[in-house]
Amino acid sequence: MLERHLQVLKMVIENEPIGIVKMSNETGYPHHKVRYSLRVLEEENLIEPSSQGAITTERTAEFVDELDEKLDDIVGKLDEMKIDDAVEVES
């Protein structure tokens, strides 16, 4: 579900204004799932409705920057947790 919300947000960022029908056609998600994602994103003040479709808000860019930083941190921590390929595990 989170992946769908982020995919919908990305579509709004890249194609604003954009409507439910176009998002549904391009993602393959049913209209009701796109509508739900839009509602969640609107509740978080990341998008807002307009007469032409969903558009971003002032908060969107800040959220994306913070999300990217957090994901980079998580990836870094996961990389640190990897066991080196050179170490052989004894059976």
Side-chain angles (χ1 to χ4, degrees):
M1 186 182 334
L2 176 60
E3 182 179 3
R4 183 181 74 232
H5 295 339
L6 291 175
Q7 187 175 7
V8 168
L9 178 60
K10 184 176 179 183
M11 288 188 73
V12 173
I13 292 168
E14 293 173 350
N15 302 293
E16 67 178 315
I18 185 170
I20 293 171
V21 173
K22 184 173 181 181
M23 281 190 262
S24 179
N25 290 340
E26 290 188 18
T27 62
Y29 294 127
H31 292 196
H32 71 278
K33 289 191 176 191
V34 172
R35 189 175 295 110
Y36 178 72
S37 291
L38 289 170
R39 184 171 52 229
V40 168
L41 295 169
E42 185 177 354
E43 288 172 0
E44 294 298 322
N45 197 31
L46 297 174
I47 65 164
E48 59 187 29
S50 76
S51 58
Q52 295 85 24
I55 58 173
T56 58
T57 66
E58 294 175 1
R59 167 97 174 93
T60 308
E62 178 186 350
F63 171 81
V64 170
D65 289 343
E66 289 173 4
L67 178 65
D68 286 348
E69 286 177 22
K70 288 177 183 176
L71 290 174
D72 287 342
D73 289 345
I74 291 169
V75 169
K77 288 177 183 175
L78 290 172
D79 282 342
E80 291 172 5
M81 293 171 57
K82 288 181 181 177
I83 297 174
D84 190 4
D85 292 338
V87 176
E88 291 189 29
V89 179
E90 294 182 23
S91 302

